[in-house]
Amino acid sequence: MRAMSTPPDHAPAPARRDAEATRAAILKAARFLLARQAHADITLKAVADRAGVSPPLILKYFGNKDALFARVMSFDTDADDLLDAPLDDLGRHMVRHVLSSQRQRGADPLLRIAFAPLHGDHGDVLRANFRAQVTERLADRLTGPDAGLRAELAVAALVGLGVMYGIARGPHLRDTDAETVVDRYAPAVQAQLTPGGRPTG
């Protein structure tokens, strides 16, 4: 009787999922620490302890501390999610995204920019990435005059929302239904995305 075997193309899937989950846990731990400590004070052991892995495993996946934090300091993937909506609904989408990030993950990836002054030269990298990957990318989608300014104002409103929710921990904001907050806050964001400063709809 022939032994049954799993088709080769299906066999690696669990390992891939485990590796992806491990990488995600390491990045999440590094982001958490980067938002609370200076880059120079963060050790791989601290990241490993928070992620529930060993320091050698971090080296296996990322190579070294600088390579790990180069990934953490990128906003590219976060911007993909933040900007993933048609322009006429983008304000609502972005506000909803900030709230869901805070409520589901306990963090807003955009808020890493608020801690740039902690990180010396690495803070300059964080700022440059934020400009290129978030505000300038948003500006490229806008029509009409002053697109760069309007993009920065829209993102500033989102960062302020994240600060009030995640750092100031405003009790009224945290206790209010997300869609109610979206209804109140999104028009101010959308006004910057619409030529002439007028909200759509």
Side-chain angles (χ1 to χ4, degrees), residues 52-73:
V53 301
S54 66
L57 196 59
I58 296 179
L59 296 177
K60 174 185 174 182
Y61 285 137
F62 295 96
N64 56 42
K65 177 181 169 180
D66 285 342
L68 169 63
F69 280 95
R71 286 281 302 277
V72 171
M73 289 182 181

Side-chain angles (χ1 to χ4, degrees), residues 19-173:
E20 289 164 7
T22 300
R23 285 190 184 93
I26 292 167
L27 288 169
K28 182 177 180 181
R31 286 187 182 113
F32 178 91
L33 293 170
L34 192 68
R36 289 157 178 81
Q37 296 175 235
H39 174 273
D41 296 336
I42 302 171
T43 64
L44 283 182
K45 184 179 184 306
V47 177
D49 288 348
R50 181 157 191 88
V53 301
S54 66
L57 196 59
I58 296 179
L59 296 177
K60 174 185 174 182
Y61 285 137
F62 295 96
N64 56 42
K65 177 181 169 180
D66 285 342
L68 169 63
F69 280 95
R71 286 281 302 277
V72 171
M73 289 182 181
S74 172
F75 294 89
D76 226 2
T77 302
D78 303 316
D80 287 344
D81 295 335
L82 180 70
L83 302 177
D84 186 22
L87 190 57
D88 61 0
D89 193 47
L90 189 55
R92 293 185 66 83
H93 170 80
M94 292 196 296
V95 172
R96 193 179 289 115
H97 178 76
V98 169
L99 293 173
S100 64
S101 294
Q102 290 283 1
R103 293 182 177 188
Q104 295 171 18
R105 293 187 284 172
D108 173 10
L110 289 184
L111 277 190
R112 281 174 285 153
I113 193 60
F115 300 93
L118 287 175
H119 304 304
D121 291 344
H122 289 89
D124 293 336
V125 173
L126 201 61
R127 291 184 191 95
N129 287 347
F130 190 81
R131 285 193 297 269
Q133 297 166 355
V134 182
T135 56
E136 291 175 11
R137 184 172 163 189
L138 175 58
D140 287 343
R141 290 190 59 185
L142 304 184
T143 59
D146 302 318
L149 173 61
R150 288 160 44 216
E152 289 182 358
L153 290 172
V155 172
L158 298 173
V159 172
L161 178 63
V163 167
M164 180 54 71
Y165 193 103
I167 298 175
R169 302 179 75 83
H172 300 288
L173 174 58

